[in-house]
Amino acid sequence: MPELPEVETVATGVDKRVRGDVIESVWLGSKPEPFKTSPIEMAATLSGRRVERVYRVGKHIVFDLEGADGLQWIVHLGMTGRLLVAEADAPVETHTHAVLRLGSGRELRFVDPRRFGRLAIHREAAGQGFRGPGREPLTITLEEFAALFKNRKTPIKAALLNQKLLHGVGNIYADESLFRAGIRPKRMAGRLTREQLTRLHAALQEILRHAIALGGSSVSDYVDADGERGFFQLEHKVYMRGGEPCLTCGLPIRRMLLGGRGTHYCPGCQK
DNA sequence: CATTTCACCTGGTGGC
DNA sequence: TGCCACCAGGTGAAAT
């Protein structure tokens, strides 16, 4: 899964290749799982439209479609979803659920083995495009960030993963930013000190920006729109390093379950 | 309402 | 080589 940096990388890559292109025809797989909008309505809405712009909101990829009705195509990659721009004669991978044939002769393909991804048409309400469920981690101010966690009794890691608070943060960047800020994942969100909130706000933004600059983390099968892997996995300090020595203090990194998610932290560096 | 747990899927890995 | 348990970037419904 792609989290904020991976989705940003994919959206940027797709925008570069697809912006201005016309969707000439649409094929949607028969399995209904990925579609929040019915396949018939989705295909009818997309066919013949020009793509004005592609960008990221939270973990969603938003396609602005040309036209006065303000319709948008929303793609969520789930855990294993990929959006690929391919030549029309390139072999179609298994688990391909959507193919958009473009006027340029290329195809935009949605591939998702686990089928946790979602596709939908968003109808603009009151002149507003798709906004996402929460606040943007990259642009939120420290004051707004601190206010999100006030009086919350859930562990800080669970709060970071709650998309209605901040959208875009997932398991990798929650663990990595808590390590960088020196905070244990189980610490109650509402009990963080002002200093901890300041460190966490800075750590999260620094890590997300760094990860975007490196094209995201390729843990297993993540690739961008050109099929290229990212490099931020080489910078992980705790994620998936359970049992290995902390790169700062040497103590073994611990792995535990928190909210059903694998959680990694350093018992020496995080308080 | 806030919070936690679990189902939803396929595939890769490691132990036996 | 096979079988099986367990794990994986996420979310949202149901239970508490």
Side-chain angles (χ1 to χ4, degrees), chain A residues 140-233:
Chain A
I140 192 169
T141 66
L142 173 59
E143 288 310 316
E144 295 167 328
F145 184 79
L148 290 180
F149 303 120
K150 198 174 181 191
N151 296 328
R152 295 211 173 257
K153 300 184 70 179
T154 190
I156 182 59
K157 170 160 175 180
L160 286 173
L161 293 178
N162 182 345
Q163 302 295 296
K164 289 180 178 169
L165 299 178
L166 288 171
H167 56 203
V169 181
N171 211 31
I172 296 175
Y173 300 99
D175 280 3
E176 292 296 321
S177 58
L178 287 169
F179 172 79
R180 187 173 177 115
I183 301 166
R184 294 252 177 138
K186 273 190 174 168
R187 279 297 296 277
M188 193 180 292
R191 291 252 171 86
L192 292 184
T193 65
R194 181 71 190 186
E195 188 183 343
Q196 288 178 316
L197 287 165
T198 304
R199 286 207 308 271
L200 183 56
H201 176 259
L204 179 60
Q205 295 194 341
E206 286 159 9
I207 281 175
L208 292 174
R209 287 198 203 97
H210 188 193
I212 290 169
L214 295 187
S217 300
S218 288
V219 172
S220 58
D221 53 5
Y222 161 76
V223 290
D224 67 16
D226 298 317
E228 299 290 332
R229 292 168 61 82
F231 292 95
F232 191 74
Q233 69 278 11

Side-chain angles (χ1 to χ4, degrees), chain A residues 57-206:
Chain A
V57 175
K59 293 178 192 170
H60 301 264
I61 299 168
V62 180
F63 290 71
D64 279 355
L65 304 173
E66 190 173 73
D69 48 11
L71 293 181
Q72 295 171 309
W73 189 42
I74 310 295
V75 176
H76 192 296
L77 300 175
M79 290 273 261
T80 52
R82 286 177 292 151
L83 266 185
L84 297 170
V85 180
E87 297 302 323
D89 58 1
V92 175
E93 295 185 46
T94 51
H95 306 298
T96 296
H97 305 301
V99 177
L100 277 57
R101 181 163 298 232
L102 304 171
S104 60
R106 296 166 306 171
E107 291 180 347
L108 182 64
R109 299 175 181 176
F110 176 66
V111 183
D112 184 14
R114 287 177 77 179
R115 287 187 276 141
F116 288 172
R118 291 294 179 263
L119 310 176
I121 298 295
H122 178 76
R123 296 185 177 279
E124 192 166 311
Q128 299 234 312
F130 179 79
R131 295 245 164 215
R135 310 297 306 275
E136 262 299 319
L138 282 176
T139 53
I140 192 169
T141 66
L142 173 59
E143 288 310 316
E144 295 167 328
F145 184 79
L148 290 180
F149 303 120
K150 198 174 181 191
N151 296 328
R152 295 211 173 257
K153 300 184 70 179
T154 190
I156 182 59
K157 170 160 175 180
L160 286 173
L161 293 178
N162 182 345
Q163 302 295 296
K164 289 180 178 169
L165 299 178
L166 288 171
H167 56 203
V169 181
N171 211 31
I172 296 175
Y173 300 99
D175 280 3
E176 292 296 321
S177 58
L178 287 169
F179 172 79
R180 187 173 177 115
I183 301 166
R184 294 252 177 138
K186 273 190 174 168
R187 279 297 296 277
M188 193 180 292
R191 291 252 171 86
L192 292 184
T193 65
R194 181 71 190 186
E195 188 183 343
Q196 288 178 316
L197 287 165
T198 304
R199 286 207 308 271
L200 183 56
H201 176 259
L204 179 60
Q205 295 194 341
E206 286 159 9

